[in-house]
Amino acid sequence: MKLNRQTTLRAQASVAGVGVHSGLPVTVTLGPAPVDAGFIFVRTGLEGSDREVQATAEQVVATDFATVLGDRSGPLVSTAEHVLAALRGMGVDNATIEIDGPEVPIMDGSAAAFIAAIDQAGIVTQPAQRRLIQVLKPISVKVGDSFGEIRPHASGFRVEVEIDFTNPVIGQQSYVFDLNPEGFRREIGRARTFGLMCDVARLWSAGYALGASFDNTVVFDDERLLNPEGLRYADECARHKVLDVIGDLSLAGLPLLGAYRSVRGGHKLNHAVLTALLADRTAWRVVEGEAARRTPRPVGEVGRGIVGGRVAAAFGPDVS
């Protein structure tokens, strides 16, 4: 596949599950879209006609527990970040995302099911040059004790994540990842969402996380990991934060050429940095064709993680 050409899906493919907050069943169908369409959610199952919402930063209406997209009438699609991460991570430029409920299904808490759907549908090259947003100068934002920055980077899109939890089981972790499809599949796409048992209980009592379970969330208490199957990676929490960054920053509308650093961040910080970047027209430009060609990296060097000051092992995809 030519890296300087836009791509879309060859056919449709569906996944079905439950929403992590609503607990309600929902089906998502990924499908082709024309050149320059980007990612378009099509919300079905509503009274009257279906409604479309473009997956862009301007359509974000909430970032408290997930990334929520909507329009003037209110929220339309919640927890959009994992399916968006799968599309961007696998190198898809244009796609429709048809959804028959208010929330993208959580599946196993990672992007693995959406990667499988993309594989089933297939990716095809389109007869138009790929367009990317090239970052020209650093843009930084501080939200409380969180810090985010996006800066110029010569080749492709890099994510640098640092997390620091007072919970001793999670602790401090960091991960650096240079985005490419094979690396995303192996190192990031299977990393699951995570949380603390005390937070999950509080969310349940408030009417959130009604679909959360050990089947779709990595849960810790103050002393141990509670999931009986264990972690997929020693630094799975940091890797999932990378996954969220890729999904949230896909809302730029085009792939990014730059390096993003997140310290103790989340959806709110990711959105704040992206909107600050897009608001400053001196900080970026659109490039296309050969100027947007990414420097390939060997699969074995796609990422590196640190847990408690040690290099973390990257276990193979067959380890659960």
Side-chain angles (χ1 to χ4, degrees):
M1 184 174 296
K2 295 181 179 180
L3 294 178
N4 62 327
R5 295 292 180 182
Q6 293 184 37
T7 64
T8 190
L9 299 177
R10 184 187 303 274
Q12 289 187 329
S14 298
V15 297
V18 299
V20 69
H21 289 302
S22 67
L24 299 175
V26 60
T27 298
V28 168
T29 300
L30 306 181
V35 164
D36 293 330
F39 302 141
I40 304 170
F41 281 92
V42 181
R43 176 67 197 282
T44 66
L46 298 168
E47 292 185 7
S49 61
D50 299 341
R51 284 157 61 188
E52 294 186 359
V53 58
Q54 193 79 28
T56 62
E58 292 83 359
Q59 304 305 126
V60 173
V61 297
T63 55
D64 291 331
F65 302 115
T67 295
V68 183
L69 304 176
D71 57 20
R72 292 179 180 178
S73 65
L76 285 173
V77 179
S78 179
T79 322
E81 59 271 11
H82 296 173
V83 66
L84 292 174
L87 289 164
R88 180 66 75 224
M90 295 303 292
V92 179
D93 294 290
N94 306 302
T96 57
I97 310 162
E98 185 176 299
I99 179 170
D100 65 1
E103 187 178 11
V104 175
I106 190 63
M107 306 312 289
D108 70 348
S110 76
F114 303 115
I115 294 173
I118 292 168
D119 288 341
Q120 178 184 341
I123 301 175
V124 293
T125 302
Q126 296 177 292
Q129 291 187 326
R130 174 170 282 164
R131 301 162 62 240
L132 297 93
I133 292 175
Q134 181 182 28
V135 179
L136 300 178
K137 69 179 186 182
I139 296 290
S140 61
V141 173
K142 189 172 183 180
V143 179
D145 63 352
S146 302
F147 173 80
E149 178 188 51
I150 191 162
R151 64 183 189 275
H153 183 61
S155 56
F157 181 52
R158 170 171 288 186
V159 182
E160 305 165 2
V161 160
E162 301 173 33
I163 62 174
D164 185 3
F165 282 77
T166 55
N167 179 281
V169 190
I170 302 175
Q172 296 179 333
Q173 299 180 21
S174 63
Y175 203 81
V176 179
F177 178 71
D178 289 288
L179 182 60
N180 67 83
E182 286 308 310
F184 181 82
R185 182 193 300 276
R186 283 169 29 104
E187 309 299 331
I188 302 300
R190 295 181 68 251
R192 297 163 293 175
T193 192
F194 64 95
L196 305 178
M197 191 62 208
C198 59
D199 293 334
V200 172
R202 185 168 63 251
L203 288 170
W204 280 339
S205 65
Y208 294 100
L210 301 180
S213 70
F214 291 131
D215 292 330
N216 56 42
T217 306
V218 177
V219 183
F220 302 88
D221 66 12
D222 291 337
E223 299 179 350
R224 62 193 176 95
L225 169 70
L226 300 180
N227 300 66
E229 76 276 15
L231 293 172
R232 293 176 175 176
Y233 311 92
D235 51 2
E236 187 168 359
C237 296
R239 293 184 192 227
H240 185 79
K241 287 289 189 179
V242 173
L243 189 155
D244 282 344
V245 166
I246 294 169
D248 287 343
L249 268 62
S250 75
L251 296 172
L254 296 172
L256 289 166
L257 288 172
Y260 177 75
R261 180 176 176 231
S262 166
V263 180
R264 293 185 294 274
H267 301 300
K268 189 178 297 293
L269 179 71
N270 297 340
H271 180 62
V273 175
L274 179 58
T275 53
L277 171 71
L278 296 177
D280 186 346
R281 282 300 284 112
T282 69
W284 56 275
R285 66 176 180 178
V286 174
V287 295
E288 61 181 23
E290 292 299 322
R293 184 178 293 277
R294 301 175 182 179
T295 303
R297 290 173 57 88
V299 170
E301 298 178 10
V302 291
R304 56 184 183 275
I306 303 292
V307 181
R310 298 176 288 104
V311 176
F315 301 110
D318 56 333
V319 177
S320 62

